[in-house]
């Protein structure tokens, strides 16, 4: 691993939303702000967490509404609200519970929520113009330069100085900077294009690009992208199941069965197969997409018109 932690992917997966929330907090100028991460258990668990913020941990119904109003003028940030979204019939019930509650509270509370792009696409398709948010901010992918700075910073933390000497990078269609190492710049552009601005995917690909030379130094070589032909050869039902895992981010087996309307046994068999192939990995009682296959799988799903661009 060259001291580049495999946990870094999880950190940078949400870096865009995390930075947004932190900057929002810094810009409040004394206005009280409360942040809560939406729990996997659903809307009921989220309302219980909000009750704790209001100082009434056992409050429910009208008592909870009054407790929230007593907070006065403040901002409440709910991170990862996509956990209330299941791409299935009545899959927006949890989201509706939250939005109805926020409307009933009203008053001086401003609500800010963050939602993963795959879940947001589903909400837009399901609700169209009836999306209930007053303002929508779409966070862009990381730029080529920013990804390069990220990698350099992580190398400094890991106390390694990778060499790009001997690296052969395919010719780039866009001009490269006149100053600095053009090979290194070309590599970062290739990495940015492959990751589509996703820092976790880029960091994983960079980690796979590091090797030891005969003298023990660290050198950079081209990373190997998993073959898309392997994913394209999957059955349509397996592709639907993988799409659901992407949309849910952390997918429980019964949620996948509900979203796809496939028999539970079939979903279990498919998840065992996908796990054995390295497409997904068990996590917190469910499954999530692995970083080595994330970009390849989402690209194939987009080509099959099963998923919008991420």
């Amino acid at each position: 691993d060259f001291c580049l932690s495999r946990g870094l992917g999880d950190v940078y997966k949400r870096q865009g939303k995390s930075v947004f929330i932190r900057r929002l907090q810094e810009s409040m100028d004394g206005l009280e702000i409360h942040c809560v991460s939406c729990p996997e258990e659903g809307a009921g668990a989220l309302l219980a967490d909000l009750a704790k913020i209001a100082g009434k941990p056992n409050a429910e119904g009208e008592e909870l509404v009054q407790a929230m109003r007593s907070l006065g003028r403040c901002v409440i940030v709910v991170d990862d609200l996509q956990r209330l979204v299941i791409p299935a019939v009545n899959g927006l019930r949890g989201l509706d519970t939250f939005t109805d509650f926020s409307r009933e509270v009203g008053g001086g509370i401003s609500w800010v929520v963050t939602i993963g792009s795959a879940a947001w696409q589903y909400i837009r398709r399901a609700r169209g113009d009836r999306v209930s948010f007053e303002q929508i901010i779409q966070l862009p992918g990381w730029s080529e330069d920013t990804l390069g700075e990220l990698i350099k910073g992580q190398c400094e933390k890991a106390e390694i100085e990778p060499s790009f000497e001997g690296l052969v990078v395919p010719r780039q269609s866009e001009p490269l900077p006149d100053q600095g190492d053009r090979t290194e710049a070309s590599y970062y552009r290739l990495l940015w294009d492959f990751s589509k601005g996703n820092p976790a995917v880029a960091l994983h690909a960079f980690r796979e690009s590091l090797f030891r030379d005969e003298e023990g130094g660290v050198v950079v070589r081209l990373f190997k992208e998993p073959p898309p032909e392997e994913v394209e050869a999957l059955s349509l039902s397996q592709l639907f199941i993988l799409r659901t895992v992407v949309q849910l981010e952390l997918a429980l087996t019964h949620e996948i069965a509900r979203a796809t309307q496939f028999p539970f046994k079939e979903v279990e068999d498919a998840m065992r197969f996908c796990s054995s192939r390295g497409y997904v990995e068990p996590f917190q009682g469910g499954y999530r997409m692995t970083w080595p296959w994330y970009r390849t799988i989402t690209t194939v799903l987009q080509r099959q018109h099963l998923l919008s661009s991420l």
Side-chain angles (χ1 to χ4, degrees):
D1 287 354
F2 299 97
C3 298
L4 291 177
S5 168
R6 293 189 180 276
L8 287 173
D10 297 323
V11 173
Y12 285 101
K13 180 181 179 183
R14 307 183 193 281
Q15 183 71 7
K17 293 189 295 180
S18 300
V19 170
F20 172 80
I21 292 173
R22 186 171 70 247
R23 291 180 177 173
L24 178 66
Q25 291 175 302
E26 294 171 351
S27 66
M28 286 296 99
D29 292 331
L31 185 63
E32 188 175 10
I33 181 169
H34 304 276
C35 296
V36 59
S37 178
C38 184
E40 293 288 349
E41 292 78 9
L46 174 59
L47 294 183
D49 287 345
L50 294 175
K52 295 176 183 177
I53 291 176
K56 298 282 187 177
N58 298 318
E60 296 179 349
E62 183 61 27
E63 182 184 1
L64 176 56
V65 170
Q66 294 300 327
M68 294 299 295
R69 289 174 180 171
S70 68
L71 291 174
R73 187 168 177 263
C74 66
V75 177
I76 297 181
V77 179
V78 182
D79 196 13
D80 288 323
L81 198 68
Q82 71 272 1
R83 293 171 180 169
L84 298 184
V85 178
I86 300 176
V89 176
N90 295 324
L92 297 181
R93 184 175 298 168
L95 179 64
D96 291 339
T97 297
F98 166 73
T99 54
D100 290 345
F101 173 77
S102 63
R103 289 195 191 97
E104 188 174 0
V105 170
I109 295 181
S110 296
W111 299 86
V112 178
V113 302
T114 68
I115 302 176
S117 58
W120 175 244
Q121 291 168 5
Y122 175 77
I123 295 172
R124 291 289 297 268
R125 289 195 300 269
R127 290 291 166 81
D129 295 335
R130 294 180 293 116
V131 175
S132 58
F133 303 107
E134 294 181 3
Q135 183 178 6
I136 300 168
I137 300 174
Q138 183 172 355
L139 300 180
W142 286 37
S143 69
E144 178 183 334
D145 292 338
T146 306
L147 284 179
E149 293 172 2
L150 164 66
I151 291 172
K152 293 176 183 177
Q154 295 304 315
C155 288
E156 290 179 3
K157 290 181 180 180
E159 298 181 349
I160 61 174
E161 296 183 12
S163 171
F164 290 84
E165 185 176 354
L167 176 65
V168 178
V169 181
R171 180 182 292 273
Q172 305 291 317
S173 58
E174 297 294 329
L176 294 169
D178 296 329
Q179 299 178 346
D181 189 328
R182 293 173 63 86
T183 301
E184 182 178 355
S186 183
Y187 170 82
Y188 290 147
R189 177 168 298 171
L190 183 70
L191 200 64
W192 172 79
D193 184 64
F194 166 72
S195 67
K196 294 182 174 61
N198 185 310
V201 174
L203 195 62
H204 168 79
F206 177 70
R207 187 170 53 229
E208 295 297 307
S209 301
L210 299 180
F211 296 88
R212 293 285 187 185
D213 62 15
E214 295 179 355
E215 289 75 30
V218 181
V219 296
V220 179
R221 297 294 179 258
L222 287 184
F223 55 88
K224 293 183 179 179
E225 180 181 358
E229 294 80 9
E230 183 175 330
V231 180
E232 291 169 346
L234 296 176
S235 67
L236 190 58
S237 62
Q238 290 171 326
L239 291 176
F240 274 119
I241 288 173
L242 286 175
R243 180 185 70 171
T244 303
V245 176
V246 173
Q247 291 175 323
L248 291 174
E249 196 171 283
L250 174 59
L252 304 180
T253 306
H254 73 274
E255 292 177 339
I256 300 173
R258 177 185 171 191
T260 59
Q261 296 187 340
F262 294 150
F264 187 83
K265 179 64 175 175
E266 181 178 346
V267 173
E268 281 189 321
D269 291 342
M271 296 314 297
R272 276 195 295 268
F273 171 79
C274 291
S275 182
S276 69
R277 300 299 298 176
Y279 306 152
V280 301
E281 61 184 355
F283 184 72
Q284 294 183 357
Y287 292 92
R288 63 179 181 181
M289 198 70 60
T290 62
W291 288 124
W293 283 95
Y294 179 84
R295 184 53 65 197
T296 300
I297 289 174
T298 54
T299 299
V300 171
L301 292 175
Q302 290 163 19
R303 290 174 182 169
Q304 300 282 352
H305 304 290
L306 297 177
L307 192 70
S308 301
S309 59
L310 297 178

